[in-house]
Amino acid sequence: MILMKDIIREGHPTLRQVAKEVALPLSEEDRKIAESLMEYVLNSQNDELAEKYDLRPGIGLAAPQINVSKRIFAIYIEGEDEPELDIIAINPKIVSHSVEQTFLGSGEGCLSVDRPVEGYVPRYARITIEAYDLDGKKFKKRLRGLPAIAFQHELDHLNGIMFFDHIDEKNPLKANEFAQPLE
Ligand SMILES: O=CN(O)CCNC(=O)c1cccc(Cl)c1Cl
Ligand code: NI
C-alpha cells in the first residue's frame, strides 16, 4: 500500500515532468499502479486507517506523485447516497469546458506540497472529459463543482503543473470576473 513516505514532494523533478501516455490494454504493472492510487485515496478517507498509517487525506492522487510519470490518476469524492465522483482515469483529457470559472474559497492543498499555500485557484466551472478505465474502455463525463476542480488538479499533475502555479501572485485572493466561488 502507498504510504506518505512514497509520495514525492515539491522540488522533486518528476512533479514538473509531462507524464507519458499509457499503452492499452493496461499491463499488469500499470493496473496495479492505478489500483494502488485509488487504494491510497480510499484509505486516506478512512479515519481508522488514516490514523493507523499516518495518511494525509486526499480526494485524488496522480501517478507522478508516487514518482511514476504515467498518465494515470484516481479520484474519490464521497456524496450523500453515492459518491460524487469515483474514477480511475487512464490517459485523461478535457475535451471541452465552460468559459465560466470557479474556485474553492478555502483554496487547494496537495500531498506533494508540505506547506499551506493561500489563494484562489481558478478552474473551469464545467468540463467534459474523456479517459479510459481499468479495462481499457473509453468513458466520457460532464463534471461540475468539486469533481470538476479535482479532475483539473489531478490532470495538472500529469502535465507538471502544481495548484499554486495558478494563484495570482500579486493578489492571491482576487477572483477574476468570470469566476464564481464554489459554495
Ligand atoms: O493531487 C492530489 N492531492 O495532492 C491530494 C491532496 N489534495 C486534495 O485532496 C485536494 C484538496 C483541495 C482541493 C483539491 Cl482539488 C484537492 Cl485534489
Ligand atoms: Ni495534488
Side-chain angles (χ1 to χ4, degrees):
M1 68 183 279
I2 295 173
L3 299 170
M4 288 305 293
K5 68 175 175 52
D6 304 311
I7 294 175
I8 59 174
R9 311 298 157 90
E10 66 181 301
H12 191 303
T14 302
L15 288 171
R16 289 304 189 179
Q17 283 174 3
V18 175
K20 296 214 175 5
E21 290 232 324
V22 170
L24 294 170
L26 285 183
S27 65
E28 252 329 285
E29 184 196 0
D30 289 346
R31 171 184 283 272
K32 292 219 176 321
I33 289 164
E35 288 169 343
S36 70
L37 296 172
M38 180 57 86
E39 183 193 44
Y40 178 89
V41 172
L42 295 172
N43 288 347
S44 77
Q45 293 177 32
N46 175 306
D47 295 344
E48 221 172 288
L49 293 173
E51 187 174 343
K52 181 174 180 184
Y53 295 106
D54 191 25
L55 308 179
R56 244 187 86 188
I59 56 176
L61 192 64
Q65 294 182 275
I66 57 168
N67 201 17
V68 172
S69 199
K70 293 185 176 181
R71 303 187 78 80
I72 305 172
F73 62 67
I75 294 174
Y76 188 88
I77 300 173
E78 197 45 82
E80 294 293 300
D81 319 323
E82 59 182 20
E84 267 200 75
L85 188 60
D86 173 10
I87 57 165
I88 287 178
I90 312 288
N91 300 337
K93 51 173 67 85
I94 292 174
V95 294
S96 67
H97 61 79
S98 59
V99 169
E100 190 194 357
Q101 295 185 309
T102 186
F103 57 90
L104 287 173
S106 50
E108 296 185 12
C110 185
L111 292 179
S112 298
V113 179
D114 288 328
R115 59 193 170 95
V117 181
E118 256 230 327
Y120 296 148
V121 181
R123 300 289 186 186
Y124 298 126
R126 292 175 301 287
I127 56 175
T128 300
I129 66 99
E130 279 179 7
Y132 293 85
D133 65 17
L134 276 182
D135 303 322
K137 193 164 158 301
K138 192 173 185 177
F139 66 93
K140 188 171 184 159
K141 280 182 176 291
R142 279 174 205 68
L143 304 176
R144 62 184 59 220
L146 183 56
I149 292 173
F151 191 97
Q152 292 169 78
H153 178 110
E154 301 314 328
L155 187 59
D156 273 353
H157 276 306
L158 306 188
N159 294 322
I161 298 166
M162 305 291 281
F163 75 90
F164 49 71
D165 298 342
H166 299 286
I167 295 173
D168 182 305
E169 296 267 309
K170 282 172 291 311
N171 186 343
L173 298 177
K174 169 180 72 67
N176 72 42
E177 63 276 17
F178 296 111
Q180 297 297 320
L182 187 69
E183 64 236 20

